[in-house]
Amino acid sequence: MTSPDLPAELKAALDGKLRGFSRSDAAARAASISETYRGGGGSGTIRSEADALAYALARMPATYAAVTASLNALVEIRPDLAPKSLLDVGAGPGTATWAAAEAFPSLQHFKLLDANDALRTLALDLARDSTRLHGIGYERGEARAALTRADTADLVVASYMIGETGDAEQRTLSELMWAKTGDTLLVVEPGTPAGYARIIALRDHLIAQGAHVAAPCPHDGKCPLEPPDWCHFTQRLQRSRAHKQAKGAELPFEDEKFAYVALTRTAVARRPARVLAQPAVSKVEVAAKLCTPGGLSFAKIPRRAKADYASARRWRWGDAVN
Ligand SMILES: C[S@@+](CC[C@H](N)C(=O)[O-])C[C@H]1O[C@@H](n2cnc3c(N)ncnc32)[C@H](O)[C@@H]1O
């Protein structure tokens, strides 16, 4: 399992960039960027080097944690997966590329694309001294055009990206990303009802084109959740001093809510049930909400079933369980 916290090389590169920047200015910029995201806006307000750094300080640890949690779930289901090439769509500061490099020592070729020049410049700066990532290829351009030109990659990732485009564009991008996927496509979105809805739309559209779900769903059928319920997960991450300052926060950690889907070209042999919320553990039983190959299940594992109860006590939200 890869740690959800930023790798030391990336932390050092970010700290290096911070030297010479005012932390209060970074906090003000981060607050304004977050305000735009909360209002449904995108990354268009990130225009300068200082904006890009503020985004990276405030959001990169959380999106990195969400991508890492999704990749950990994928690796658990596909332990054989050893991609050599990565395509990071809407790569921003390179978050998903760093996460994938940590999760897959097999990766050798890294291709990133994004329309935002300030984020692209920051990504290249952060990767410059990295042993794995100093040679990344990063194309600046609109995803649709850049994807059309891109080579196929074993692993294609779009992290916190598709929500910045309209519904019709999401459909086109999902088809283009799938066309460029040699093995697995991972799409990660905020863990909101809207983020989940985008994941489900993309999931359904690509299953109809022959994709199979590797995670989180243990089936390729219709999602059994009914609104207002939605499938999402949470990942805790530690906040560094710079991260706390950028967010004006006191707590040394935060919990990032995310939704994701990993789609593969070949059907996965074993798809265990997925824990959809933190189980309730009492002295009498463990009560857990599970998505199973047969649909939604509210499992109760009584204490008298000693071995099963002992193992269910260790279940965590997001786990794949038998
Ligand atoms: C919220 S940021 C996420 C960045 C990074 N993937 C991460 O997880 O931290 C969304 C990124 O998608 C890029 N983006 C959005 N729409 C795009 C498009 N149509 N073409 C290229 N890039 C796009 C933005 O420029 C921005 O860098």
Side-chain angles (χ1 to χ4, degrees):
M1 295 276 269
T2 308
S3 162
D5 296 315
L6 298 184
E9 243 185 1
L10 177 54
K11 269 191 212 146
L14 275 170
D15 285 348
K17 290 290 304 175
L18 248 187
R19 270 177 232 125
F21 275 94
S22 147
R23 297 200 176 199
S24 55
D25 177 59
R29 286 172 196 272
S32 142
I33 293 165
S34 299
E35 191 59 37
T36 306
Y37 283 135
R38 273 195 294 276
S43 310
T45 51
I46 303 170
R47 293 197 192 95
S48 65
E49 188 184 2
D51 291 338
L53 188 58
Y55 169 82
L57 281 174
R59 286 299 295 152
M60 202 176 180
T63 58
Y64 179 92
V67 176
T68 297
S70 310
L71 290 172
N72 280 336
L74 167 65
V75 168
E76 195 181 0
I77 300 294
R78 288 277 314 276
D80 60 312
L81 185 60
K84 286 197 170 62
S85 51
L86 172 79
L87 177 60
D88 183 353
V89 183
T95 323
T97 295
W98 282 89
E102 286 294 306
F104 295 109
S106 57
L107 278 173
Q108 294 166 6
H109 307 287
F110 301 90
K111 176 83 196 272
L112 297 77
L113 58 94
D114 200 294
N116 188 307
D117 208 26
L119 287 168
R120 175 182 174 274
T121 303
L122 175 63
L124 291 171
D125 272 359
L126 294 176
R128 182 169 303 128
D129 295 328
S130 158
T131 31
R132 298 274 307 283
L133 301 178
H134 66 273
I136 55 173
Y138 198 136
E139 183 174 344
R140 179 184 176 275
E142 277 300 315
R144 186 196 280 240
L147 269 166
T148 309
R149 288 190 296 271
D151 290 333
T152 302
D154 298 335
L155 176 63
V156 178
V157 181
S159 146
Y160 289 76
M161 185 267 175
I162 61 167
E164 296 203 0
T165 65
D167 289 353
E169 186 66 3
Q170 280 169 40
R171 224 173 149 80
T172 306
L173 286 182
S174 67
E175 285 168 12
L176 278 169
M177 290 193 292
W178 184 240
K180 300 296 170 169
T181 299
D183 188 303
T184 302
L185 169 65
L186 172 68
V187 182
V188 186
E189 281 290 289
T192 56
Y196 159 74
R198 289 191 287 271
I199 292 285
I200 286 299
L202 175 139
R203 173 191 184 276
D204 292 352
H205 188 54
L206 294 184
I207 286 173
Q209 300 196 6
H212 302 277
V213 184
C217 330
H219 58 82
D220 293 342
K222 188 179 172 304
C223 177
L225 295 181
E226 294 288 346
D229 202 359
W230 78 100
C231 181
H232 65 294
F233 303 94
T234 181
Q235 177 62 57
R236 177 155 296 184
L237 59 131
Q238 301 306 312
R239 284 177 171 151
S240 68
R241 205 151 70 91
H243 187 190
K244 279 194 285 187
Q245 280 170 341
K247 299 198 88 165
E250 292 294 328
L251 272 179
F253 64 84
E254 69 186 42
D255 293 318
E256 175 69 7
K257 290 191 170 59
F258 63 99
Y260 73 100
V261 68
L263 297 163
T264 57
R265 292 236 163 248
T266 324
V268 179
R270 193 189 64 92
R271 286 190 288 192
R274 183 76 51 187
V275 181
L276 291 190
Q278 190 53 37
V281 179
S282 74
K283 287 186 174 151
V284 181
E285 64 185 17
V286 175
K289 179 182 174 188
L290 303 175
C291 189
T292 76
L296 207 54
S297 155
F298 293 90
K300 289 187 189 302
I301 300 97
R303 190 173 189 173
R304 62 179 171 339
K306 274 193 181 158
D308 290 347
Y309 176 83
S311 106
R313 271 180 71 95
R314 292 191 291 273
W315 290 355
R316 296 285 173 269
W317 184 1
D319 283 356
V321 299
N322 288 305

